[in-house]
Amino acid sequence: MTVDQTFIAVIQGIVATSFIGTFVAYAVIIVLRFRTAKAQRRQHKLDQLIEDRILPQFIQEMGNESAHVYIDQTVLDELALMDKRNRQTLIDTLIRLRWHVAGTNALILHRIYVLLGLNLDSLQKMKSRKWYRNVQGLHELTLMDYAISDIDILRFNLSEESELRSAARSAFMRFSKNEPFRFFDEVRDPLSIWELIGFFRILEQSRDTVKSNFANWIRYSRNKTVVICCMKLAAHEQSLEAIDSIEGLLNVNDHSLRSHAINALGHLRAVHTQETLIKMYPNQPVECQCEILFSLGMFRTTRAMEFLTEQFQSAFDFEIENHVAAILARLVRNNQFGWNSLNLPSRKQRILNYYLNEQ
């Protein structure tokens, strides 16, 4: 075979291989798409089946009266026949429904979860050697309100995986019988905004949670994110005992920490700090000035209203001007402040009208 013939054979081989490779790739894509579409149809059908069986079990709750929890045994028998993959879909569906109900209906979902043994599936995930399975198990048990002992949760607090530590903190907060935020003592890594949102969700779903004294963590914790988180939680829970600790942060050098402290004082209606905030206002960065204006708007005292109107009339900074205009407009719309703004310059009147007309 000559050199030319060899070269042509090689080229033909490359072309044939390319065609075969392209054909195989397209075939794999078609098969995967077919399987995905089939799985989605099966999933949708299963979701509909589950919801058709579970939703009719819900009751119309009347006021604060506790109703008897009754679950049709035929429904349980039908759902119990699902295979392992469908059981996971059932858990996911129960969790999705749990976000939208409370009271007796939430208890119905919890009972279904336990009676079908789905809690055992979640507990088994907690025993897995794979951290992401541990996270899944913790989330399921927490969201379905299935109590776990403190010792079973605390072992995950020192995990190298931040997501697993976060899940353990949420679970500990939900189920601890004594101090639900005790894990703050051990937190060394920064807390994320998503963890804070998770804490708020758990607080909303579990009003029987033991109240915590956030003042100590605000005053003594060296973790900035823990301090900020505790200030927000104290404001959310209206923990008035934390006010003194928060007030102590008004003189810190960290502008961000100071702005969070001012915001928390506003939410806690700490009116006695009004004069302090007004005096410190001129020397603050814009971030802190906006929070001071917000807090004064929350106080709604005569002195606070005078200061807000003065700042709106004299401010030239775009951010400050719009921020105080939004505060004043909200108060006027809610009939919490009566103000004759007819003498304002046309530019400031337009800004105020914009927020007054905002829905």
Side-chain angles (χ1 to χ4, degrees):
M1 182 180 291
T2 64
V3 175
D4 290 342
Q5 291 175 329
T6 303
F7 179 75
I8 292 172
V10 170
I11 295 299
Q12 289 175 339
I14 293 173
V15 172
T17 303
S18 299
F19 275 115
I20 294 172
T22 302
F23 175 79
V24 171
Y26 274 110
V28 170
I29 292 172
I30 291 172
V31 170
L32 290 177
R33 285 186 175 180
F34 175 78
R35 288 181 177 178
T36 301
K38 186 178 180 180
Q40 288 176 345
R41 288 194 299 269
R42 188 190 308 117
Q43 179 91 21
H44 177 73
K45 184 177 179 181
L46 183 59
D47 285 347
Q48 194 62 47
L49 172 66
I50 292 171
E51 293 186 9
D52 287 345
R53 296 296 180 270
I54 294 176
L55 291 180
Q57 304 298 310
F58 285 0
I59 64 169
Q60 184 67 35
E61 296 192 75
M62 304 299 292
N64 296 324
E65 298 180 3
S66 58
H68 176 68
V69 176
Y70 172 76
I71 302 173
D72 190 344
Q73 185 61 42
T74 59
V75 174
L76 295 175
D77 293 339
E78 183 175 358
L79 295 177
L81 297 176
M82 294 183 174
D83 59 27
K84 185 176 181 180
R85 181 177 57 184
N86 290 343
R87 285 172 66 84
Q88 182 58 52
T89 303
L90 179 54
I91 293 175
D92 296 338
T93 302
L94 290 174
I95 290 173
R96 188 174 70 251
L97 294 175
R98 176 67 181 82
W99 279 118
H100 301 286
V101 298
T104 305
N105 288 331
L107 183 57
I108 289 174
L109 295 177
H110 173 83
R111 289 287 298 277
I112 293 174
Y113 178 70
V114 174
L115 291 173
L116 292 177
L118 299 174
N119 58 314
L120 301 179
D121 295 20
S122 301
L123 288 169
Q124 192 63 37
K125 293 169 189 171
M126 283 185 59
K127 299 177 183 178
S128 173
R129 294 183 179 181
K130 299 176 181 178
W131 68 267
Y132 57 87
R133 298 286 288 172
N134 300 149
V135 171
Q136 186 180 13
L138 282 169
H139 278 316
E140 290 173 0
L141 292 165
T142 303
L143 295 173
M144 290 309 301
D145 201 23
Y146 185 85
I148 324 168
S149 65
D150 290 1
I151 193 170
D152 288 334
I153 303 172
L154 287 173
R155 63 191 179 94
F156 295 117
N157 276 345
L158 300 178
S159 170
E160 296 180 355
E161 299 295 336
S162 61
E163 192 172 345
L164 181 53
R165 293 197 303 270
S166 175
R169 289 164 186 164
S170 295
F172 189 85
M173 172 186 165
R174 178 64 188 92
F175 299 120
S176 177
K177 301 300 182 184
N178 300 312
E179 181 51 75
F181 290 98
R182 193 176 70 192
F183 58 83
F184 280 148
D185 293 333
E186 308 298 331
V187 173
R188 299 292 179 267
D189 54 308
L191 295 174
S192 69
I193 185 63
W194 301 114
E195 287 183 271
L196 180 58
I197 292 173
F199 296 158
F200 282 137
R201 284 179 172 175
I202 293 172
L203 285 175
E204 287 298 322
Q205 287 191 340
S206 53
R207 281 301 176 184
D208 56 337
T209 300
V210 178
K211 299 298 182 183
S212 293
N213 183 4
F214 300 105
N216 290 333
W217 290 303
I218 294 172
R219 181 171 295 168
Y220 299 115
S221 178
R222 296 184 179 181
N223 187 319
K224 176 181 173 180
T225 58
V226 168
V227 175
I228 292 174
C229 181
C230 286
M231 286 193 290
K232 290 187 177 297
L233 290 170
H236 182 268
E237 292 295 287
Q238 289 295 293
S239 300
L240 301 182
E241 64 273 12
I243 290 179
D244 288 343
S245 297
I246 297 173
E247 194 175 349
L249 298 175
L250 293 180
N251 297 318
V252 296
N253 293 325
D254 190 318
H255 294 166
S256 174
L257 194 59
R258 190 160 68 249
S259 69
H260 282 290
I262 296 168
N263 179 275
L265 290 173
H267 281 290
L268 289 167
R269 306 293 199 281
V271 179
H272 68 277
T273 63
Q274 173 180 275
E275 290 303 322
T276 301
L277 296 178
I278 291 175
K279 288 179 181 178
M280 64 187 290
Y281 179 85
N283 301 320
Q284 298 301 308
V286 172
E287 179 183 5
C288 292
Q289 286 182 332
C290 288
E291 294 299 348
I292 290 174
L293 295 171
F294 165 79
S295 293
L296 293 175
M298 297 294 286
F299 296 161
R300 297 197 294 273
T301 63
T302 302
R303 178 73 176 100
M305 295 299 98
E306 290 175 354
F307 187 82
L308 288 172
T309 54
E310 288 171 5
Q311 291 306 308
F312 180 60
Q313 291 170 336
S314 61
F316 291 100
D317 183 277
F318 178 81
E319 186 173 354
I320 295 293
E321 195 174 37
N322 280 267
H323 191 73
V324 72
I327 294 171
L328 290 170
R330 184 184 69 249
L331 294 173
V332 171
R333 286 201 309 270
N334 295 335
N335 297 318
Q336 295 170 333
F337 177 52
W339 181 38
N340 185 0
S341 59
L342 296 177
N343 296 325
L344 285 175
S346 58
R347 175 176 170 276
K348 291 187 179 291
Q349 188 67 60
R350 287 196 302 271
I351 295 174
L352 184 60
N353 288 339
Y354 170 79
Y355 289 102
L356 284 172
N357 297 326
E358 191 178 45
Q359 298 300 321

